[in-house]
Amino acid sequence: SRLGEKERHQFIVGTHSLKEKNEIHLIEYKEEAEQVECIGLYSHPGEIWQLESSSCVKDLFATAYTEGKGWKCTLWKASEAQSAEDATVEDSQADQLAPLIHIADLSGHEGPITGLRWSVLDEGDESSSESVVTFDSKRARYWDLTKGADARFDENSCLKTPEIANLSAGCFDPHHDKTFIIASGGNIESWDFRSLKAGITVQQAHQERILDVDYNPNRPYHIVTAGEDMITHFWDLRKPSQPLCSLGGHTHWVSAARFNRYHDQLLLTAGTDSNVNLWSMVSVSSAPVGEFEGNVNEKEGDKLIKKYEGHRDSVYSVAWSSDAWVFASLSYDGTVVVNSVPQSEKYKILL
């Protein structure tokens, strides 16, 4: 999602083709017309495996990619895009797409970069600086982006964890500075990049590998995890002995889970069963605040709002727009589907 764009619903998608030249596609959802348009095309080197955009600067984003020999992570700035209508097939083959402006390389990676997460800052938040965490299967690296484009971003300029076995997913803790949640296999660890030490640990949070983790933007210590065991767990890290509650809803791996930034009772899950589920999880959200907490019937508000079946292949990514009600999903075959929260559910939240 292009979170830096506050006025329109925009998403960034990258390709990872072995045989063809790869591209960045800038997609916009026109809500009034209910249409999805590609409004910009950019040429990009190598197969793109990870992509994250800045939450503050709409033209700034990072990609993790390989050109066949080694892996790279680069900060880019989008130039004025060439629209999809203006870019013909011949243009694409002639490499005439709009160029990306190279900002900096986050170098020093030895193996495949399996994760890339950009810190999400609230509008007008000047107390924190933007940062990026990249990780492979053994180590996570924290990059402070306040150094500017002329700074050297290499293995000696980042904060990095000791070696961690089977690192598979991670996310920023939006409530504590330089704190990052790491999933390794079926375990969860909270890492402080200032001390480079692990804090809270949840052993065997999942029976199989954790594929995604996300932090509740409104409730400290509350996270969601999704795994190969087809389960989504909600956790209070202060009570790591067991999950607060769990969800099924998928018949194969749960590949992604994302809280809504504005209404954290709304949760998206996506799976390799080709489905995207929209949930209302009132009991573990900030919405109840006393009304539901301690109530024996608190889980009555938890429900599957809608199952979206617009994909024909495994869904590996979901993202909320900068708006509270629109989201996109991406499947293995390259299909991007944009949906929105049903009006009836929207009115329940607002009224």
Side-chain angles (χ1 to χ4, degrees):
S1 178
R2 202 182 193 195
L3 296 179
E5 172 56 68
K6 307 300 182 183
E7 302 298 325
R8 297 179 288 178
H9 309 295
Q10 294 185 349
F11 303 91
I12 306 178
V13 182
T15 64
H16 61 275
S17 173
L18 282 170
K19 298 181 180 179
E20 300 177 2
K21 293 183 178 180
N22 287 282
E23 302 165 349
I24 296 289
H25 292 230
L26 179 57
I27 296 171
E28 182 171 330
Y29 172 62
K30 311 283 188 177
E31 190 167 8
E32 292 185 359
E34 295 186 343
Q35 293 180 344
V36 177
E37 297 180 6
C38 181
I39 62 171
L41 289 171
Y42 302 89
S43 60
H44 186 286
E47 305 166 58
I48 305 167
W49 287 92
Q50 305 288 334
L51 190 156
E52 283 274 326
S53 67
S54 165
S55 62
C56 300
V57 183
K58 68 178 182 179
D59 294 329
L60 189 63
F61 63 94
T63 59
Y65 58 99
T66 176
E67 298 180 273
K69 296 181 180 179
W71 286 73
K72 295 181 180 180
C73 185
T74 300
L75 300 178
W76 307 96
K77 185 176 181 180
S79 60
E80 184 176 351
Q82 180 174 3
S83 69
E85 295 179 354
D86 295 335
T88 64
V89 174
E90 290 76 13
D91 287 335
S92 179
Q93 292 174 347
D95 198 24
Q96 295 300 311
L97 302 183
L100 293 171
I101 301 171
H102 179 277
I103 301 299
D105 290 318
L106 309 182
S107 59
H109 299 279
E110 298 176 358
I113 302 172
T114 55
L116 166 63
R117 296 298 291 264
W118 200 299
S119 59
V120 177
L121 304 180
D122 294 330
E123 293 184 59
D125 183 2
E126 299 180 353
S127 61
S128 302
S129 60
E130 285 201 287
S131 53
V132 167
V133 167
T134 57
F135 51 91
D136 50 36
S137 62
K138 295 182 179 180
R139 199 185 303 273
R141 294 169 171 83
Y142 176 97
W143 308 87
D144 183 356
L145 302 186
T146 59
K147 298 177 180 179
D150 296 331
R152 290 186 59 190
F153 292 96
D154 57 24
E155 187 72 358
N156 296 320
S157 65
C158 68
L159 301 173
K160 53 184 179 292
T161 64
E163 189 169 308
I164 301 171
N166 303 315
L167 203 164
S168 57
C171 71
F172 275 94
D173 177 348
H175 309 285
H176 301 95
D177 188 38
K178 292 187 178 179
T179 303
F180 197 78
I181 303 298
I182 287 175
S184 57
N187 304 323
I188 303 167
E189 294 180 338
S190 176
W191 276 84
D192 186 334
F193 275 103
R194 292 165 297 187
S195 63
L196 293 179
K197 293 182 179 179
I200 301 171
T201 300
V202 182
Q203 296 291 334
Q204 294 184 327
H206 284 255
Q207 294 301 311
E208 297 185 40
R209 188 166 61 118
I210 297 172
L211 297 178
D212 200 15
V213 56
D214 197 34
Y215 219 109
N216 188 314
N218 301 324
R219 296 195 76 180
Y221 304 104
H222 284 68
I223 66 170
V224 63
T225 56
E228 291 181 353
D229 53 7
M230 302 184 291
I231 300 295
T232 302
H233 289 312
F234 295 84
W235 301 90
D236 182 341
L237 295 176
R238 296 164 299 183
K239 305 173 184 177
S241 59
Q242 63 181 15
L244 295 172
C245 63
S246 304
L247 298 174
H250 290 278
T251 58
H252 207 253
W253 298 351
V254 187
S255 54
R258 286 292 183 274
F259 283 107
N260 186 294
R261 291 179 62 198
Y262 303 97
H263 307 288
D264 56 294
Q265 65 266 49
L266 296 177
L267 179 88
L268 292 170
T269 61
T272 51
D273 59 1
S274 306
N275 292 325
V276 175
N277 289 339
L278 173 63
W279 303 87
S280 174
M281 299 302 299
V282 176
S283 70
V284 291
S285 73
S286 60
V289 189
E291 179 182 351
F292 284 87
E293 292 183 358
N295 188 330
V296 294
N297 296 318
E298 64 179 1
K299 291 183 173 56
E300 289 181 357
D302 297 346
K303 63 179 181 178
L304 174 64
I305 297 173
K306 186 174 181 179
K307 182 183 292 288
Y308 297 86
E309 301 175 322
H311 289 278
R312 297 181 179 181
D313 209 340
S314 300
V315 184
Y316 283 101
S317 180
V318 289
W320 291 97
S321 165
S322 57
D323 173 85
W325 311 111
V326 174
F327 58 91
S329 51
L330 173 66
S331 53
Y332 185 77
D333 60 5
T335 301
V336 177
V337 178
V338 178
N339 284 295
S340 59
V341 176
Q343 289 287 347
S344 58
E345 197 66 29
K346 177 178 177 179
Y347 292 144
K348 287 179 185 178
I349 294 173
L350 295 178
L351 299 179

